[in-house]
Amino acid sequence: MKHVILGNGPTGVVAAETLRRAAPADEILMVGSEGEPPYSRMAIPYLLEENIDESGTYLRKTPDHFKKLRVRELNARAVSLDTEQRRILFQDGHFEDYDRLLIATGSHPVRPPIPGVDLPEVQTCWTLADARAIANLAKPGSRVLQLGAGFIGCIIMEALAARGVQLTVVEMGDRMVPRMMTPKAGGMIKNWVETKGIRVVTNAGVKRIDRSAQPSVVDVTLSTGDVLSCDLVIVAAGVAPNVAFLESTPVHVAKGVLVNEYLETSVPGVYAAGDVAEAPDLFTGEHLVAAIQPNAADQARVAALNMAGRPTKLNGVLAINVLATLGLISSSFGQWWGEKSDQGGAGVEHIDEARYRYLSLQFKDDVMIGATSIGLTEHVGALRGLIHGQVKLGAWKERLLANPLQFVEAYVARSQQPMALAR
Ligand SMILES: Cc1cc2nc3c(=O)[nH]c(=O)nc-3n(C[C@H](O)[C@H](O)[C@H](O)COP(=O)(O)OP(=O)(O)OC[C@H]3O[C@@H](n4cnc5c(N)ncnc54)[C@H](O)[C@@H]3O)c2cc1C
């Protein structure tokens, strides 16, 4: 049996290792397209802060790790797939056959169609190559404009601040992390960031980027009419799954590659996992891309076990986002935006702006389906436990609506009931 894994990020690596354990005699090929050893994108901010060097981003530290596991590594870009013949065509013209295929190609940052977006002073922050370019341009005192204040935008802000740049963040939404946090929470994060000396312009976009009269400087025109001279522009305006090579194949793709609870695509023998995959959501069953590393590892394990012939189900995807924005910890879980009241929805907010503490809990009937928090770092595991376990809260729901800060007590009381988790 020959397994081909397209992608050598966290998904590809965990899948290769799981496959080796589950199928000791099978052939495994793992393909990456960046010419780097397998590395973790989430370590890039630490690299930019100079807390680690490049080798600190590598997912496995011993150079012969994959050789010892008899996992063949290949640097090549898949450009098309023939699911009838079970073979992949690579950009260099060669083919690889497979018996089982895992699509673990992740996603890429999207560059909005703005005039000047391809100038060399305009960078994304996604790959090690991007990190090298940013490190070169983001020097103490450099004028940096960051386009987008979503998940990745907030994460890299800390690294940019640590490099001593003058940072302006421009966000189309009315708050920071608008697709991850409630309006109140996004507003509080914005206030926090501004107290740290970062300028945040919300409800605004970048209209154009032009080369300035000064060398290596660009003039950025905002939708507000302001023009800012910058040494570096970082585009953090969203990502899109790497699915181009699946065009004109029978593999069903929506935003990402659609998979069932076994991580199998619409084509038998072809699986997908990680940032490129859309798997069923824990609550709604609707397909969801959950582009975070723990999700990549979970899905990789399940996909690999199925590829090795051990039927294993994924227990639904729970959206989890945990952010450290210049020292302020925030998180959101599940359906944080809540459910309509005529569908059994109810919610409550606790707001303490002075101490940067915030909690929003959302319920459907007597189950917590989502939460957003700021500054409550110690017990967020209990929130996750309540939501992921779909714990029936009984009378605790009303108590939490009256005082949401009692969620730890609710977790202890209800998750220790023998029947509490049964649904
Ligand atoms: C700056 C930054 C910070 C982050 N911080 C966090 C964090 O704090 N917490 C968190 O949970 N997540 C974080 N993430 C997200 C996390 O990195 C991703 O969820 C994770 O990398 C997904 O792993 P993956 O293996 O599915 O995809 P990727 O890591 O993107 O790997 C995909 C691989 O596929 C290869 N590939 C792509 N196309 C092809 C092709 N056609 N042929 C062959 N190979 C191909 C690429 O070379 C790449 O190696 C961060 C991401 C970034 C960019």
Side-chain angles (χ1 to χ4, degrees), residues 5-13 31-35 38-46 59 75-79 90 104-108 125-127 151-152 155-156 242 245 273-276 290-297 320 322:
I5 299 169
L6 286 180
N8 66 349
T11 306
V13 165
V31 188
S33 62
E34 291 175 32
Y39 71 93
S40 167
R41 303 196 191 287
M42 66 181 275
I44 288 175
Y46 307 104
L59 285 161
N75 181 46
R77 175 167 290 277
V79 288
F90 290 91
T105 47
S107 44
H108 63 275
C125 183
W126 197 253
T127 61
F151 179 61
I152 301 296
I155 288 175
I156 60 181
N242 291 322
F245 67 100
D275 278 12
V276 75
I292 55 167
Q293 192 158 317
N295 177 61
I320 301 176
V322 180

Coordinates of all heavy atoms in Angstrom, one line a residue, residues 5-13 31-35 38-46 59 75-79 90 104-108 125-127 151-152 155-156 242 245 273-276 290-297 320 322, ligand 1:
I5 N 1.1 11.8 1.0 CA 0.6 13.0 1.8 C 1.1 14.2 1.1 O 2.3 14.5 1.0 CB 1.2 12.9 3.2 CG1 0.7 11.6 3.9 CG2 0.7 14.1 4.0 CD1 1.5 11.3 5.2
L6 N 0.1 15.0 0.6 CA 0.5 16.3 0.0 C 0.4 17.4 1.1 O -0.6 17.7 1.6 CB -0.5 16.6 -1.1 CG -0.4 15.8 -2.4 CD1 -1.5 16.3 -3.4 CD2 0.9 16.0 -3.0
G7 N 1.6 17.9 1.4 CA 1.7 18.9 2.5 C 2.6 18.3 3.6 O 2.5 17.2 4.0
N8 N 3.6 19.2 4.0 CA 4.4 18.7 5.1 C 4.4 19.7 6.3 O 5.4 19.9 7.0 CB 5.9 18.5 4.7 CG 6.5 19.8 4.2 OD1 5.9 20.8 4.0 ND2 7.8 19.8 4.0
G9 N 3.2 20.4 6.5 CA 3.0 21.2 7.7 C 2.6 20.3 8.8 O 2.8 19.0 8.8
P10 N 2.0 20.8 9.9 CA 1.6 20.0 11.1 C 0.7 18.8 10.7 O 0.9 17.7 11.2 CB 0.9 21.0 12.0 CG 1.4 22.3 11.6 CD 1.8 22.2 10.1
T11 N -0.2 19.1 9.7 CA -1.1 18.0 9.3 C -0.3 16.8 8.7 O -0.5 15.7 9.0 CB -2.2 18.5 8.3 OG1 -2.8 19.6 8.9 CG2 -3.2 17.5 8.0
G12 N 0.5 17.2 7.7 CA 1.3 16.2 7.0 C 2.2 15.4 7.9 O 2.2 14.1 7.8
V13 N 2.8 16.1 8.8 CA 3.8 15.4 9.7 C 3.0 14.5 10.7 O 3.5 13.3 10.9 CB 4.6 16.5 10.5 CG1 5.3 15.9 11.7 CG2 5.6 17.2 9.6
V31 N 5.0 15.1 0.8 CA 5.5 16.2 -0.1 C 5.3 17.6 0.4 O 4.2 17.9 0.9 CB 4.6 16.1 -1.4 CG1 5.2 17.0 -2.5 CG2 4.6 14.6 -1.9
G32 N 6.3 18.4 0.3 CA 6.2 19.8 0.7 C 6.5 20.6 -0.5 O 7.2 20.2 -1.4
S33 N 6.1 21.9 -0.5 CA 6.4 22.7 -1.7 C 7.2 23.9 -1.5 O 7.4 24.8 -2.4 CB 5.1 23.1 -2.4 OG 4.3 23.9 -1.5
E34 N 7.7 24.1 -0.2 CA 8.4 25.4 0.1 C 9.9 25.2 0.1 O 10.6 26.2 0.4 CB 7.9 26.0 1.4 CG 6.4 26.5 1.3 CD 5.9 26.9 2.6 OE1 6.7 27.5 3.4 OE2 4.7 26.8 2.8
G35 N 10.4 24.0 0.0 CA 11.8 23.8 0.0 C 12.4 24.0 1.4 O 13.6 24.3 1.6
P38 N 10.0 20.4 7.4 CA 8.7 20.7 8.0 C 8.8 21.6 9.1 O 9.5 21.4 10.1 CB 8.2 19.3 8.4 CG 9.0 18.3 7.5 CD 10.3 19.0 7.3
Y39 N 7.9 22.7 9.1 CA 8.0 23.7 10.2 C 6.6 24.2 10.5 O 5.6 23.8 9.8 CB 8.9 24.9 9.7 CG 8.3 25.8 8.7 CD1 7.5 26.9 9.0 CD2 8.4 25.5 7.3 CE1 6.9 27.7 8.0 CE2 7.9 26.3 6.3 CZ 7.1 27.4 6.7 OH 6.5 28.2 5.7
S40 N 6.6 24.9 11.6 CA 5.3 25.3 12.2 C 5.1 26.8 11.9 O 5.9 27.6 12.4 CB 5.3 25.1 13.7 OG 4.2 25.7 14.3
R41 N 4.0 27.2 11.2 CA 3.8 28.6 10.9 C 3.6 29.4 12.3 O 3.9 30.5 12.4 CB 2.6 28.8 10.0 CG 2.7 28.0 8.7 CD 1.7 28.5 7.7 NE 1.6 27.7 6.6 CZ 2.5 27.6 5.6 NH1 3.6 28.3 5.7 NH2 2.3 26.7 4.6
M42 N 3.0 28.7 13.2 CA 2.6 29.4 14.5 C 3.9 29.8 15.3 O 3.8 30.6 16.2 CB 1.6 28.7 15.4 CG 2.0 27.4 16.0 SD 0.7 26.7 16.9 CE 0.9 27.6 18.5
A43 N 5.0 29.3 14.9 CA 6.3 29.7 15.5 C 6.9 31.0 14.9 O 7.8 31.6 15.4 CB 7.3 28.6 15.5
I44 N 6.3 31.4 13.7 CA 6.9 32.6 13.0 C 6.9 33.8 13.9 O 7.9 34.6 13.9 CB 6.1 32.8 11.7 CG1 6.5 31.7 10.7 CG2 6.4 34.2 11.1 CD1 5.8 31.7 9.4
P45 N 5.8 34.1 14.7 CA 5.9 35.3 15.5 C 7.1 35.3 16.5 O 7.8 36.3 16.7 CB 4.6 35.3 16.3 CG 3.7 34.6 15.4 CD 4.5 33.6 14.7
Y46 N 7.4 34.1 17.0 CA 8.6 34.0 18.0 C 9.9 34.2 17.2 O 10.8 34.7 17.8 CB 8.6 32.6 18.6 CG 7.2 32.3 19.3 CD1 6.3 31.4 18.8 CD2 6.9 33.0 20.5 CE1 5.1 31.2 19.3 CE2 5.7 32.7 21.1 CZ 4.8 31.9 20.5 OH 3.6 31.7 21.1
L59 N 9.3 21.4 13.0 CA 8.4 20.5 13.7 C 9.1 19.4 14.4 O 8.7 18.9 15.4 CB 7.2 20.0 12.8 CG 6.2 21.1 12.4 CD1 5.4 20.7 11.2 CD2 5.2 21.3 13.6
N75 N 10.3 17.4 -2.3 CA 9.9 18.9 -2.5 C 9.4 19.0 -3.9 O 10.1 19.0 -4.9 CB 11.2 19.7 -2.2 CG 10.8 21.2 -2.4 OD1 9.8 21.7 -1.9 ND2 11.6 21.9 -3.2
A76 N 8.1 19.2 -4.0 CA 7.5 19.4 -5.3 C 6.1 19.9 -5.1 O 5.5 19.8 -4.1 CB 7.4 18.0 -6.0
R77 N 5.6 20.6 -6.2 CA 4.2 21.2 -6.1 C 3.2 20.4 -6.9 O 3.4 20.2 -8.1 CB 4.3 22.6 -6.5 CG 2.9 23.3 -6.6 CD 3.0 24.8 -6.8 NE 3.6 25.4 -5.5 CZ 2.8 25.7 -4.5 NH1 1.5 25.5 -4.5 NH2 3.4 26.2 -3.4
A78 N 2.2 19.9 -6.3 CA 1.2 19.1 -7.1 C 0.4 20.1 -7.9 O 0.0 21.2 -7.4 CB 0.2 18.4 -6.1
V79 N 0.2 19.8 -9.2 CA -0.6 20.7 -10.1 C -1.8 20.1 -10.6 O -2.8 20.8 -11.0 CB 0.3 21.2 -11.3 CG1 1.3 22.2 -10.8 CG2 0.9 20.1 -12.1
F90 N 3.1 16.6 -10.8 CA 3.8 17.7 -10.1 C 4.3 18.7 -11.2 O 4.5 18.4 -12.4 CB 5.0 17.1 -9.3 CG 4.4 16.4 -8.1 CD1 4.2 15.0 -8.2 CD2 4.1 17.0 -6.9 CE1 3.7 14.3 -7.1 CE2 3.6 16.3 -5.8 CZ 3.4 15.0 -5.9
A104 N -3.2 17.6 2.4 CA -2.9 18.4 3.6 C -2.1 19.7 3.2 O -1.1 20.0 3.8 CB -2.1 17.5 4.6
T105 N -2.7 20.3 2.2 CA -1.9 21.4 1.6 C -2.2 22.8 2.2 O -1.7 23.8 1.7 CB -2.3 21.5 0.0 OG1 -3.7 21.4 -0.1 CG2 -1.7 20.4 -0.7
G106 N -3.0 22.8 3.3 CA -3.1 24.1 4.0 C -3.8 25.2 3.2 O -4.6 24.9 2.3
S107 N -3.4 26.4 3.5 CA -4.0 27.5 2.8 C -3.0 28.6 2.5 O -1.8 28.4 3.0 CB -5.2 28.1 3.7 OG -4.8 28.2 5.0
H108 N -3.4 29.6 1.8 CA -2.4 30.7 1.5 C -3.1 32.0 1.8 O -4.3 32.1 1.7 CB -2.0 30.6 0.0 CG -3.1 30.8 -0.9 ND1 -4.0 29.8 -1.3 CD2 -3.6 31.9 -1.5 CE1 -4.9 30.2 -2.1 NE2 -4.7 31.5 -2.3
C125 N 2.4 37.4 5.9 CA 3.2 36.8 7.0 C 2.7 35.4 7.1 O 1.8 35.1 8.0 CB 3.0 37.6 8.2 SG 4.0 37.0 9.6
W126 N 3.2 34.5 6.3 CA 2.7 33.1 6.2 C 3.8 32.1 6.2 O 3.6 31.0 6.8 CB 1.8 33.0 5.0 CG 0.9 31.8 5.1 CD1 1.0 30.7 4.4 CD2 -0.3 31.7 5.9 NE1 0.0 29.8 4.7 CE2 -0.8 30.4 5.7 CE3 -0.9 32.5 6.9 CZ2 -1.9 29.9 6.4 CZ3 -2.0 32.0 7.6 CH2 -2.5 30.8 7.3
T127 N 4.9 32.4 5.5 CA 5.9 31.4 5.3 C 7.2 31.8 6.0 O 7.3 33.0 6.3 CB 6.2 31.1 3.8 OG1 6.6 32.4 3.3 CG2 4.9 30.7 3.1
F151 N -7.3 37.1 13.2 CA -6.6 36.2 14.0 C -5.1 36.3 13.8 O -4.3 36.6 14.7 CB -7.0 34.7 13.7 CG -6.4 33.6 14.5 CD1 -6.4 33.6 15.9 CD2 -5.7 32.6 13.8 CE1 -5.8 32.6 16.6 CE2 -5.1 31.6 14.5 CZ -5.1 31.6 15.9
I152 N -4.6 36.2 12.5 CA -3.2 36.2 12.2 C -2.7 37.7 12.4 O -1.6 37.9 13.0 CB -2.9 35.8 10.7 CG1 -3.4 34.4 10.5 CG2 -1.5 36.0 10.4 CD1 -2.7 33.3 11.2
I155 N -2.0 38.2 16.1 CA -0.9 37.4 16.5 C 0.4 38.1 16.2 O 1.3 38.1 17.0 CB -1.0 35.9 16.0 CG1 -2.1 35.2 16.7 CG2 0.3 35.2 16.2 CD1 -2.3 33.8 16.1
I156 N 0.5 38.6 14.9 CA 1.8 39.1 14.5 C 2.1 40.5 15.0 O 3.2 41.0 15.1 CB 2.0 39.0 13.0 CG1 0.9 39.8 12.2 CG2 2.0 37.6 12.5 CD1 1.1 39.8 10.7
N242 N -5.6 25.8 -0.2 CA -4.8 25.4 -1.4 C -5.5 24.3 -2.2 O -5.2 23.1 -1.9 CB -3.4 25.1 -1.1 CG -2.6 26.3 -0.6 OD1 -2.8 27.4 -1.1 ND2 -1.8 26.1 0.4
F245 N -5.1 22.6 -7.5 CA -4.8 21.4 -8.2 C -6.0 20.4 -8.3 O -5.9 19.4 -9.0 CB -3.5 20.7 -7.6 CG -3.7 20.2 -6.3 CD1 -4.0 18.8 -6.1 CD2 -3.7 21.0 -5.2 CE1 -4.2 18.3 -4.8 CE2 -3.9 20.5 -3.9 CZ -4.1 19.1 -3.7
A273 N -7.3 16.9 5.4 CA -7.3 17.3 6.9 C -6.5 18.6 7.0 O -5.7 19.0 6.1 CB -6.6 16.2 7.7
G274 N -6.8 19.3 8.2 CA -6.1 20.5 8.5 C -6.7 21.7 7.8 O -7.9 21.7 7.5
D275 N -5.9 22.7 7.6 CA -6.4 24.0 7.1 C -7.2 23.9 5.8 O -7.9 24.8 5.4 CB -5.3 25.0 6.9 CG -4.9 25.7 8.2 OD1 -5.3 25.3 9.3 OD2 -4.1 26.7 8.2
V276 N -6.8 22.9 5.0 CA -7.4 22.8 3.7 C -8.8 22.1 3.7 O -9.6 22.2 2.7 CB -6.5 22.0 2.7 CG1 -6.5 20.5 3.0 CG2 -6.8 22.2 1.3
A290 N -11.6 24.9 10.2 CA -11.1 25.4 11.5 C -9.6 25.5 11.4 O -8.9 24.5 11.7 CB -11.6 24.5 12.6
A291 N -9.1 26.6 11.0 CA -7.7 26.8 10.6 C -6.8 27.0 11.8 O -6.2 28.1 11.9 CB -7.5 27.9 9.6
I292 N -6.7 26.1 12.7 CA -5.8 26.2 13.9 C -5.0 24.9 14.0 O -5.5 23.8 13.6 CB -6.5 26.5 15.2 CG1 -7.6 25.5 15.5 CG2 -7.0 28.0 15.2 CD1 -8.1 25.6 16.9
Q293 N -3.8 25.0 14.6 CA -2.9 23.9 14.6 C -3.4 22.6 15.4 O -3.3 21.5 15.0 CB -1.5 24.3 15.1 CG -0.5 23.2 14.9 CD 0.9 23.7 14.9 OE1 1.2 24.8 14.3 NE2 1.8 23.0 15.5
P294 N -4.1 22.8 16.6 CA -4.6 21.6 17.3 C -5.6 20.9 16.4 O -5.6 19.6 16.5 CB -5.3 22.2 18.5 CG -4.7 23.6 18.7 CD -4.3 24.1 17.4
N295 N -6.4 21.6 15.7 CA -7.4 21.0 14.8 C -6.6 20.2 13.7 O -7.0 19.1 13.3 CB -8.2 22.1 14.2 CG -9.2 21.5 13.2 OD1 -10.0 20.7 13.6 ND2 -9.1 21.9 12.0
A296 N -5.6 20.8 13.2 CA -4.8 20.1 12.2 C -4.3 18.7 12.7 O -4.4 17.7 12.0 CB -3.6 21.0 11.7
A297 N -3.8 18.7 13.9 CA -3.2 17.5 14.5 C -4.3 16.5 14.7 O -4.1 15.3 14.4 CB -2.5 17.8 15.8
I320 N -12.2 26.9 17.9 CA -11.5 27.4 19.1 C -10.5 28.5 18.7 O -9.7 28.2 17.7 CB -10.7 26.3 19.9 CG1 -11.6 25.2 20.4 CG2 -10.0 27.0 21.1 CD1 -10.9 24.1 21.0
V322 N -7.7 31.1 20.4 CA -7.1 31.7 21.6 C -6.0 32.7 21.1 O -5.2 32.4 20.3 CB -6.5 30.7 22.5 CG1 -5.8 31.3 23.7 CG2 -7.5 29.6 23.0
Ligands
LIG1 C1 1.9 33.7 11.6 C2 1.0 32.6 12.0 C3 0.7 32.4 13.3 C4 -0.2 31.3 13.7 N1 -0.4 31.1 15.0 C5 -1.2 30.1 15.4 C6 -1.5 29.9 16.8 O1 -1.0 30.6 17.6 N2 -2.3 28.9 17.1 C7 -2.8 28.0 16.2 O2 -3.5 27.1 16.5 N3 -2.6 28.2 14.8 C8 -1.8 29.2 14.4 N4 -1.6 29.5 13.1 C9 -2.3 28.6 12.1 C10 -1.5 27.3 11.9 O3 -0.2 27.6 11.5 C11 -2.2 26.4 10.9 O4 -3.5 26.1 11.4 C12 -1.4 25.2 10.6 O5 -0.2 25.5 10.0 C13 -2.2 24.2 9.6 O6 -1.4 23.1 9.3 P1 -1.6 22.4 7.9 O7 -0.5 21.4 7.9 O8 -3.0 22.0 7.6 O9 -1.2 23.5 6.8 P2 0.2 24.3 6.5 O10 1.0 24.5 7.8 O11 -0.2 25.5 5.7 O12 1.0 23.3 5.6 C14 0.6 23.0 4.3 C15 1.8 22.5 3.5 O13 1.3 22.1 2.2 C16 2.3 22.4 1.3 N5 1.6 22.6 0.0 C17 0.7 23.5 -0.4 N6 0.3 23.4 -1.6 C18 0.9 22.3 -2.1 C19 0.9 21.6 -3.4 N7 0.1 22.0 -4.4 N8 1.7 20.5 -3.5 C20 2.5 20.1 -2.5 N9 2.5 20.7 -1.3 C21 1.8 21.8 -1.1 C22 3.0 23.6 1.8 O14 4.3 23.6 1.3 C23 2.9 23.4 3.3 O15 4.1 22.9 3.8 C24 -0.8 30.5 12.7 C25 -0.5 30.7 11.3 C26 0.4 31.8 11.0 C27 0.6 32.0 9.5

